[in-house]
Amino acid sequence: MARPRKPLLSRDRIVEAASALVDAEGLEGVSTRRLAAELGVSGPSLYNHFRTKDEILEAVADAVSAKVDLSMFDADDGREWRQALHDWALSYRAALTEHPHIVPVLARGPGRRPAGLRVADAVFGAMVRAGWPPAQATYIGALMRYFVTGSALGSFARGFVDDATAYDPADYPHLGQAHLLADHQERVDEGAFETGLRALLDGLGVQYEAVRRRPRGPAEARTTVRPAPKPG
Amino acid sequence: MARPRKPLLSRDRIVEAASALVDAEGLEGVSTRRLAAELGVSGPSLYNHFRTKDEILEAVADAVSAKVDLSMFDADDGREWRQALHDWALSYRAALTEHPHIVPVLARGPGRRPAGLRVADAVFGAMVRAGWPPAQATYIGALMRYFVTGSALGSFARGFVDDATAYDPADYPHLGQAHLLADHQERVDEGAFETGLRALLDGLGVQYEAVRRRPRGPAEARTTVRPAPKPG
DNA sequence: ACCTGAACACCGTTCAAGT
DNA sequence: ACCTGAACACCGTTCAAGT
């Protein structure tokens, strides 16, 4: 069989199989030959649909971004911007922790991925509507992204070993109980995420009040970052 | 030449060469053969000093962690915890942006890397000394890490293309100026980082006041996360 | 103990050949 | 247009052989 009358492959089928493989085996488990085998074709066939393996992984990452709920940013649902950011962050993090192995790819940046851009667009638009200056709205999209991807990528607790002898008090005077962290991994990561998210939103609240109070004095315009590259 | 009287290699030499290679070519530029060639030996020689290539990369990441300034956490330098966290975050970020290609490895978590653990230890110790409950001190170390590594990993602006036609208003109604971001990349990332850091510290300040006010009521103990796995 | 070359079991990608 | 097998230039790692 050289060419079937009905194509055996499609971008969607490839992305679906690649996602399953990434979830099951991690990024290292994905080779073009392995993926092709999973799809019942030979390795080079994939190159009729994607230019590189990396493009396939980008598509997998984008499929995860597409699962992030953005409905809280809808114009007139009566939600406050802080509440919307909060809910979005939870949905964002949930999407990532459901597919942890692809996070390194996704964390590289929103890039050209359509779903990633849709996220950036929604956040930026909602913040501007809420009264944030465009420059700040851009920053908020970026910094929230930093925090959420950072938390999904580097489970803090996962790094600690479940071995009391691993942390010599002479080297790490305050890590006496560190070996216990291995057990409490998830709880610590979630606590840190919640604490950080609350801090972020409270802190943005402070800045929001300041911005609202002096909405755009010319003196400020001179000392501030500059007109404001949009967005997002 | 089979075995020289003086070893040709050492862990330090290997890490040094690997760091240079990572900086110059990125992670993909590092192969064991390439690295060995740079050191004037054959590929398998490396395995006398490291068990795997990944162990070499971990060591490179740890060398970067070792450059993070921790002196602001020294017991009696009169600094306030917020100021210390702020200065540390800047130093942390600076270390990472100087070696951007290794960040994905470093962001995986502090793991067993000695310098990474030293960082965790210093932050945890300083926060506890400042009056934070151990559980919260643990969270602070983790959430600061999320934010800093996330910002170093995923340059938000870098993701946007310098092409006005790339962002169809029908798809992304608020991304009209997105193509300008490519130009302002660094400024946006720095603005987002500063804005986020300030928000984080302000927000933690709010939580600090709350914790200080009610230092450990039994009612709180029941509703709060739980005793507190240390640290760090 | 520490280096070597040869070898194993893989890679991503290109390309001419098939229909 | 879409798949194939063969091939190219790589990989990380193991291992027996050398000193």
Side-chain angles (χ1 to χ4, degrees):
Chain A
M1 171 226 320
R3 182 193 173 223
R5 40 192 77 187
K6 263 279 183 175
L8 296 174
L9 256 34
S10 69
R11 287 178 65 97
D12 280 350
R13 273 201 73 217
I14 293 172
V15 170
E16 210 169 330
S19 295
L21 202 47
V22 168
D23 284 346
E25 313 264 358
L27 280 178
E28 301 138 25
V30 183
S31 77
T32 54
R33 290 167 216 256
R34 175 87 191 275
L35 174 57
E38 217 81 40
L39 286 158
V41 300
S42 81
S45 304
L46 301 171
Y47 290 85
N48 285 301
H49 303 268
F50 289 93
R51 267 200 315 253
T52 61
K53 177 191 172 185
D54 198 62
E55 247 182 33
I56 298 176
L57 292 178
E58 289 279 327
V60 171
D62 207 45
V64 172
S65 289
K67 292 187 185 168
V68 178
D69 184 15
L70 298 175
S71 65
M72 64 286 288
F73 295 125
D74 286 351
D76 302 314
D77 73 344
R79 233 181 277 248
E80 204 240 348
W81 64 268
R82 234 168 319 202
Q83 184 66 43
L85 279 184
H86 175 267
D87 295 351
W88 168 62
L90 291 192
S91 164
Y92 197 172
R93 177 174 141 94
L96 299 194
T97 53
E98 225 174 301
H99 306 281
H101 295 131
I102 198 67
V103 176
V105 175
L106 204 144
R108 294 200 290 237
R112 292 149 186 72
R113 298 188 295 265
L117 291 172
R118 213 138 37 222
V119 172
D121 183 69
V123 180
F124 178 76
M127 293 308 109
V128 168
R129 251 187 343 263
W132 283 98
Q136 262 70 25
T138 302
Y139 295 160
I140 291 174
L143 68 91
M144 291 292 291
R145 203 190 132 77
Y146 299 160
F147 180 68
V148 174
T149 59
S151 79
L153 187 58
S155 165
F156 185 75
R158 194 170 41 204
F160 292 90
V161 198
D162 185 10
D163 172 4
T165 70
Y167 305 100
D168 187 329
D171 293 335
Y172 317 110
H174 313 104
L175 294 188
Q177 315 271 68
H179 64 102
L180 298 179
L181 275 178
D183 289 339
H184 305 313
Q185 187 191 116
E186 266 183 57
R187 213 196 308 145
V188 170
D189 279 323
E190 266 162 37
F193 181 77
E194 282 167 22
T195 301
L197 178 56
R198 188 154 14 115
L200 232 22
L201 296 176
D202 286 348
L204 287 176
V206 175
Q207 292 180 40
Y208 185 76
E209 298 308 321
V211 161
R212 300 261 80 185
R213 202 162 297 128
R214 316 166 281 125
R216 244 160 220 279
E220 189 190 43
R222 248 183 285 113
T223 58
T224 310
V225 190
R226 217 169 291 188
K230 264 198 197 176
Chain B
M1 174 227 317
R3 180 189 173 223
R5 39 192 78 187
K6 264 280 182 179
L8 296 173
L9 255 34
S10 69
R11 288 178 65 97
D12 280 351
R13 274 200 71 217
I14 293 172
V15 170
E16 211 169 330
S19 296
L21 201 48
V22 168
D23 285 346
E25 313 265 358
L27 280 178
E28 302 139 24
V30 183
S31 77
T32 53
R33 291 167 216 258
R34 176 88 189 277
L35 173 57
E38 216 83 39
L39 287 159
V41 299
S42 81
S45 304
L46 302 171
Y47 290 85
N48 285 300
H49 303 267
F50 288 93
R51 268 200 315 254
T52 62
K53 176 190 173 185
D54 198 61
E55 248 183 33
I56 299 176
L57 292 178
E58 290 279 327
V60 170
D62 206 45
V64 172
S65 289
K67 292 187 188 169
V68 178
D69 185 15
L70 298 175
S71 65
M72 63 288 285
F73 294 126
D74 285 352
D76 302 313
D77 74 343
R79 232 183 277 249
E80 205 241 348
W81 65 268
R82 233 167 319 201
Q83 184 66 43
L85 278 184
H86 175 267
D87 295 352
W88 168 62
L90 291 191
S91 164
Y92 196 173
R93 179 174 140 94
L96 300 194
T97 53
E98 226 174 299
H99 306 281
H101 295 130
I102 198 67
V103 176
V105 174
L106 203 144
R108 293 200 289 236
R112 292 149 185 72
R113 298 188 295 264
L117 291 173
R118 217 143 28 227
V119 172
D121 184 68
V123 179
F124 178 75
M127 292 308 109
V128 168
R129 252 187 342 263
W132 282 98
Q136 262 69 27
T138 302
Y139 295 161
I140 291 175
L143 68 90
M144 292 293 290
R145 203 190 134 77
Y146 299 159
F147 181 67
V148 174
T149 58
S151 79
L153 188 58
S155 165
F156 185 77
R158 195 168 41 202
F160 291 91
V161 199
D162 184 10
D163 172 4
T165 69
Y167 305 99
D168 187 330
D171 293 334
Y172 318 109
H174 312 105
L175 295 186
Q177 315 270 67
H179 63 102
L180 299 178
L181 275 179
D183 289 338
H184 305 315
Q185 185 193 117
E186 267 183 56
R187 213 193 309 141
V188 170
D189 278 324
E190 266 162 37
F193 181 78
E194 282 167 23
T195 300
L197 179 55
R198 189 157 10 116
L200 232 21
L201 296 176
D202 286 349
L204 287 177
V206 174
Q207 291 180 40
Y208 184 76
E209 298 308 322
V211 162
R212 300 262 80 188
R213 202 162 298 128
R214 315 165 283 124
R216 242 160 221 277
E220 189 190 42
R222 247 181 286 114
T223 58
T224 311
V225 192
R226 218 172 290 183
K230 264 200 197 174

